[in-house]
Amino acid sequence: MSEVNRNVPYLSIKDLVVEYMSDGQVVHAVNGVSLKLDRGTTLGLVGETGAGKTTIAKSILRILPDVGAKITGGKVELDGKDLLQLPEREMQQIRGNEISMIFQDPMTALNPVQRVGDQIAEVVALHLEPGSKTNPMERAKEMLEIVGIPGERYYDYPHQFSGGMKQRVVIAIALACNPNLLLADEPTTALDVTIQAQVLDLIGDLRKQFNTAMLLITHDMGVVAQVCDTVAIIYAGSIVEYGTKEQIFDHPSHPYTIGLFGAIPDMNEDEIWLHPIEGLPPDPTNLPKGCPFSPRCKYATEECRQGVVPVSETPDGHQCRCCHMEEVRKEREA
Ligand code: SF4
C-alpha cells in the first residue's frame, strides 16, 4: 500500500470535463467539476437523474463506455497520483484494491448463475498479493458474516436472496479487498424503504470499521443527512453548492439546493403539499448560456445569463455558484 500523504486530500478531482456523443450531438455531461475527499470521510454528491453523478464515479474508475464517452479535461488524483494518466494495467490493480463501487441495482451487479460466495471469493483471489496466505473462500465467508449473512449461505445463488440481502452481498464484494475509497451509486434506491435504512446503517458502520472514504451518489437529502460529512450539489454537470453537511443544511445558499429541500417533507411544519422545483433540467446537448439553472430560477436576471457564473466562497469554505447568493440567503433566512 502506498505511503499516506497527509498534505493532499485522498481523492481530488480538478476541473473534470466529460462529453458523450449521441446521435451526432455532443452531450455535455460533466462541465468542470472539482471535488475533494479526505480519508475516512463521506462526501454526498446530490442531484437529479442525468445531472452527471454516475459519470463522475465512472470517470474516477475509468469505466466509461469505450465508444462515445470521452474525458476531455481535468484531473482525477488519488493520493496525489493522476488516475487519468495511468496505464490500464495499473488501473486494474487500483479497481477493487483501492477503489470499489456499489452499483444501484443489486440484480444486475450479481451473476445469477454463480454462487454468491464464489462471486466474493473471485474478487478476493483476483487481488491477492503474491505469497498471500489468505484463503479466498474463507475470506468470502467472513465477509458474508460481516454484512450480516450466515457464512453457510456461501453456496446459495442470488435468486435465493431478498433484494436487501443481495445488496448486502454486493457490499461484501465491494469491501472484500479493504478498499480505501468506496463509490456508492444510489446504493439503496432499488430497495424497500425499511430495508434502505438497514443497508445505509450497514454501509455507515462498515465504512467506519474499515476507515474507508466514500463518495455517496444520491438524490435523497434524507440519506445525505444520515451518512455524509460534506456535500456537493450538482446541477446539469456543474457543482452549484459545496460545503459541510451543516453548512448545506443550515445555510443552503443556491436556489437549486433550496428547491431540493422544498421537495422533501418537513415533519415540524403543518404543510399539506410539497414544493417540487418547477420545470425540467436543461437539454445537455444545448445548455443555456450562463447559469444552467436560470430557466427555472425565480431570482434569475440578465447577469445570470451573461457567461460562466463564478464560485463564491465564505471564509469557512462554503462554496456557491450563484450571482445573487447574498439576496437568496437573506430571503431564505428572513
Ligand atoms: Fe438563479 Fe442567477 Fe443564481 Fe443561477 S446565478 S441560481 S439564475 S440567481
Side-chain angles (χ1 to χ4, degrees):
M1 190 175 291
S2 55
E3 204 177 308
V4 175
N5 183 347
R6 297 193 185 283
N7 295 323
V8 292
Y10 181 57
L11 174 72
S12 170
I13 300 175
K14 293 178 191 157
D15 300 321
L16 182 69
V17 180
V18 186
E19 294 173 349
Y20 291 101
M21 282 305 288
S22 174
D23 292 334
Q25 289 184 298
V26 179
V27 176
H28 301 281
V30 177
N31 305 306
V33 161
S34 297
L35 296 169
K36 287 178 182 170
L37 180 57
D38 288 320
R39 284 172 187 273
T41 65
T42 297
L43 166 65
L45 183 58
V46 187
E48 290 162 292
T49 303
K53 308 185 296 291
T54 303
T55 300
I56 292 171
K58 288 185 173 176
S59 302
I60 295 169
L61 274 176
R62 283 187 23 200
I63 54 169
L64 288 167
D66 282 343
V67 181
K70 200 164 179 208
I71 296 173
T72 55
K75 285 184 176 177
V76 176
E77 292 180 343
L78 191 75
D79 219 4
K81 194 165 38 183
D82 188 354
L83 298 185
L84 303 184
Q85 302 303 325
L86 289 185
E88 178 54 26
R89 246 162 46 100
E90 269 187 64
M91 238 359 252
Q92 279 172 6
Q93 283 306 310
I94 284 177
R95 292 184 203 113
N97 268 341
E98 292 228 26
I99 311 175
S100 270
M101 186 155 176
I102 300 175
F103 291 94
Q104 189 177 124
D105 185 1
M107 307 293 284
T108 49
L110 295 173
N111 182 345
V113 294
Q114 190 180 19
R115 297 184 300 191
V116 294
D118 287 343
Q119 298 189 45
I120 304 171
E122 199 173 87
V123 173
V124 175
L126 195 66
H127 294 282
L128 278 184
E129 299 275 337
S132 167
K133 293 197 170 54
T134 301
N135 178 322
M137 186 186 250
E138 290 308 317
R139 174 72 177 151
K141 286 184 179 172
E142 188 190 340
M143 284 311 299
L144 282 173
E145 298 276 354
I146 286 174
V147 298
I149 298 173
E152 59 264 26
R153 297 210 60 186
Y154 179 104
Y155 304 96
D156 288 350
Y157 289 88
H159 73 269
Q160 294 170 280
F161 290 82
S162 66
M165 298 276 267
K166 279 195 206 86
Q167 195 59 311
R168 284 169 187 264
V169 173
V170 171
I171 293 167
I173 292 173
L175 293 176
C177 298
N178 269 346
N180 290 320
L181 172 62
L182 187 60
L183 310 175
D185 188 1
E186 306 264 11
T188 58
T189 302
L191 305 175
D192 291 345
V193 178
T194 45
I195 308 296
Q196 281 185 8
Q198 288 173 17
V199 170
L200 271 183
D201 282 347
L202 175 70
I203 292 175
D205 289 348
L206 294 177
R207 200 195 58 67
K208 276 189 206 133
Q209 192 180 326
F210 291 99
N211 196 31
T212 314
M214 178 159 74
L215 177 69
L216 176 70
I217 292 173
T218 181
H219 61 273
D220 186 335
M221 288 302 238
V223 169
V224 173
Q226 192 179 336
V227 180
C228 299
D229 302 298
T230 51
V231 185
I233 309 288
I234 184 167
Y235 184 79
S238 298
I239 303 297
V240 295
E241 189 162 1
Y242 191 21
T244 63
K245 178 170 67 181
E246 291 72 24
Q247 287 168 340
I248 300 291
F249 277 70
D250 296 345
H251 305 287
S253 303
H254 193 280
Y256 177 63
T257 312
I258 293 168
L260 288 178
F261 282 114
I264 53 174
D266 184 341
M267 294 312 193
N268 299 316
E269 297 287 331
D270 205 9
E271 296 240 13
I272 298 173
W273 303 107
L274 297 179
H275 302 283
I277 305 166
E278 284 183 20
L280 294 169
D283 174 357
T285 64
N286 185 23
L287 291 173
K289 194 161 177 248
C291 173
F293 191 59
S294 58
R296 302 170 81 182
C297 181
K298 70 173 184 176
Y299 301 95
T301 61
E302 265 321 295
E303 186 188 353
C304 308
R305 301 183 187 100
Q306 291 304 313
V308 176
V309 177
V311 174
S312 313
E313 184 168 349
T314 61
D316 59 353
H318 183 174
Q319 297 179 0
C320 180
R321 192 185 284 275
C322 176
C323 301
H324 303 301
M325 184 182 99
E326 292 303 329
E327 181 192 336
V328 173
R329 220 188 222 200
K330 271 191 199 134
E331 188 182 309
R332 154 101 188 166
E333 293 177 3

